[in-house]
Amino acid sequence: MTRRGTHILLIDDDPSVLEMVQSALAHYGMEVHGYPDAAQALELLQNPKAPPFDLVISDINMEGMDGFEVVHKVKASHPHLPVVLMTGQASVDYAIQAMRLGASNLFMKPIAMKDLVHSVFHLVDLHRDLRKADDGLRGLVNERRHFLFRSDELDIPSLTHHLTDRLVPMGFASAGNIDVIAMAMHEALVNALDHGNLDLDSRLKGDLFAKEDAYAALRAKRMADPEYAGRLIEVRLAMDTERFEVEISDEGRGFDAGRLSPPPPDSEMASHCGRGLPLILLVMDEVHFNEKGNQVRLVLRRK
């Protein structure tokens, strides 16, 4: 699973973080252009002789230009280019500010490298695929879609594309925030598959370079087990000129959705924030669960 020909712009004034992230991404064939100074990095981005970048990763707390300013400047000149932020200290206010500026994800240090690499893979693919939206769709006034998959048939990146390809033409997203909305949709599908139908616990996840990965091993085992592989995931999309709604249902045991609520602005984020349910709650205008907790309805309103 490599991404040769992928160019990542990496910004962090901590040499150890630069080396760690660069090494992890280079392991998968990516070309990582690392800079300790944000201004120098953005000069490269504006250089017409520079390679076409697929993603920017930046620390937030740096001398001079901080990560929020990096997002602002990148989105001003390259609105389609996704930006991932990293920080040693993050509150929910940080996450909200990052998402509003157009950041696609936010990771708290020490970085969970496996999750960062998976996020990079996904965003690189999104960056290439979501730009194919047809301008002719701007005349669309309503649409309904209905998908039904076995667990072992579901292709999450492909379905994410089908669920989000109308958002920009229909006015529910912009070039600056389509990536983070697609990431939230992707995480909702991962929740339905991995934590719903396959009944996997995130605490089983190990380090990127660990010799054994209990999460991946159990996932592969359950994908080969007809009891889990045959469970269904149903996705319904309904959209008109004012409201976009996606309903995702799985056949897992569910969870107590009543304990979920958007965290207060000054609360600390988890060690790996900006993904899963916290990301979904921050990004979507409305999030509703059924009583059992195995169905979620995601709503966006036209801005």
Side-chain angles (χ1 to χ4, degrees):
M1 190 166 61
T2 61
R3 289 294 188 279
R4 299 195 183 280
T6 297
H7 290 270
I8 308 294
L9 186 60
L10 174 64
I11 310 167
D12 199 306
D13 56 6
D14 184 337
S16 63
V17 174
L18 273 179
E19 181 180 359
M20 177 180 64
V21 176
Q22 188 161 0
S23 175
L25 298 180
H27 177 76
Y28 292 97
M30 301 184 194
E31 294 287 338
V32 183
H33 307 257
Y35 285 83
D37 181 78
Q40 292 180 356
L42 294 184
E43 284 182 11
L44 176 64
L45 185 64
Q46 303 301 335
N47 189 331
K49 296 182 180 180
F53 285 99
D54 296 282
L55 182 72
V56 176
I57 304 175
S58 176
D59 187 29
I60 291 180
N61 305 105
M62 299 181 291
E63 293 292 332
M65 187 186 304
D66 66 17
F68 292 131
E69 190 173 356
V70 169
V71 178
H72 178 73
K73 289 184 176 295
V74 170
K75 291 298 181 179
S77 60
H78 296 72
H80 293 302
L81 186 60
V83 183
V84 170
L85 293 178
M86 305 179 292
T87 182
Q89 297 179 338
S91 67
V92 174
D93 267 341
Y94 256 48
I96 292 173
Q97 184 177 353
M99 300 306 173
R100 284 178 176 171
L101 284 170
S104 299
N105 216 334
L106 173 65
F107 287 84
M108 189 167 178
K109 297 177 179 179
I111 300 295
M113 289 307 304
K114 177 175 288 187
D115 290 328
L116 177 63
V117 169
H118 287 167
S119 181
V120 168
F121 270 58
H122 176 56
L123 285 169
V124 165
D125 290 341
L126 280 175
H127 179 224
R128 294 172 176 177
D129 292 342
L130 290 177
R131 311 311 166 212
K132 301 175 182 177
D134 182 358
D135 283 342
L137 292 173
R138 296 185 186 278
L140 188 67
V141 293
N142 66 73
E143 185 173 55
R144 300 290 185 272
R145 298 185 186 182
H146 185 190
F147 304 89
L148 188 64
F149 301 94
R150 287 168 47 100
S151 294
D152 56 2
E153 295 173 338
L154 178 61
D155 181 341
I156 290 178
S158 176
L159 182 54
T160 300
H161 174 70
H162 286 299
L163 295 177
T164 55
D165 61 354
R166 302 319 202 223
L167 291 179
V168 173
M170 290 289 288
F172 293 101
S174 67
N177 69 2
I178 181 60
D179 292 308
V180 68
I181 293 174
M183 179 66 77
M185 205 74 68
H186 179 277
E187 292 303 319
L189 293 169
V190 169
N191 285 342
L193 177 61
D194 283 16
H195 309 309
N197 281 3
L198 301 183
D199 199 16
L200 298 173
D201 190 329
S202 294
R203 290 173 293 184
L204 293 174
K205 291 182 178 179
D207 184 72
L208 177 65
F209 299 111
K211 292 183 178 179
E212 296 183 1
D213 187 336
Y215 187 94
L218 183 57
R219 189 182 192 280
K221 180 180 179 181
R222 290 188 172 171
M223 275 293 201
D225 183 342
E227 178 185 350
Y228 293 95
R231 291 178 177 177
L232 299 177
I233 289 178
E234 186 172 21
V235 180
R236 295 177 181 270
L237 180 152
M239 175 176 55
D240 58 30
T241 56
E242 299 300 325
R243 185 180 177 90
F244 172 90
E245 183 174 306
V246 170
E247 184 180 272
I248 302 170
S249 307
D250 62 69
E251 293 188 328
R253 57 182 173 173
F255 73 105
D256 182 8
R259 60 186 173 84
L260 284 178
S261 61
D266 59 350
S267 64
E268 290 296 314
M269 297 296 290
S271 59
H272 174 217
C273 56
R275 288 176 64 95
L277 289 174
L279 174 64
I280 294 167
L281 292 170
L282 284 172
V283 170
M284 308 307 295
D285 291 322
E286 299 175 29
V287 179
H288 306 279
F289 292 91
N290 67 350
E291 184 176 355
K292 185 177 178 181
N294 67 340
Q295 181 186 89
V296 62
R297 182 158 44 90
L298 311 176
V299 178
L300 289 172
R301 293 184 295 272
R302 188 168 183 173
K303 305 301 186 289

